[in-house]
Amino acid sequence: SANIVHHVTDINADAIAVAQRTASANNVTLLDHRCDLASDLLPTHGNGIDIILFNPPYVPTPDEEVGADDISASWAGGEHGRIVIDRAMPQIAHLLKYPGGGVGYMIVVDDNYPEKLALSMWERFGMRVEPLVRRKARNEYLTVLKLSLTRPVSLDISKMDISRTK
């Protein structure tokens, strides 16, 4: 539809280029934003995004590996793999459409303590976090979590951590 706008955000220019090639091969136009998490969208898209797909760096690593300038930034998640996830969750809550049924989908592993994440998001933002699909991939179990708001969320984006981890 002419009303659908697709955005891609990533700190890595190569990741954006791959997303653009994939979109082009499928006749989809992407607006790309080279930024940390969704920081470029926060000022203009609050409570306005219908669907968010988030594949965070979720692998538990030493905290100092998070936010590196090399390929490890794509997997290094810090303690319990949660540093980037925890920074992203307020942004996701701010961006998801409410009312209107905005939903997010995020990949996690058991080491990320998804039950604790779900409880935290419910308490902080009234966000329902439900496991949607769970699969074994080599040495880990991946779960796709479905995220949806149950109440409006209004956050002061000037107080959000939108700086790169390093």
Side-chain angles (χ1 to χ4, degrees), residues 54 67 106-107 132:
F54 183 42
M106 178 174 64
I107 304 289
L132 192 63

Side-chain angles (χ1 to χ4, degrees), residues 110-130:
D110 292 349
D111 292 332
N112 303 144
Y113 296 103
E115 298 85 6
K116 289 181 181 180
L117 175 65
L119 181 60
S120 171
M121 296 314 296
W122 178 258
E123 291 173 348
R124 293 173 64 197
F125 306 113
M127 182 181 290
R128 185 174 292 120
V129 178
E130 305 168 276

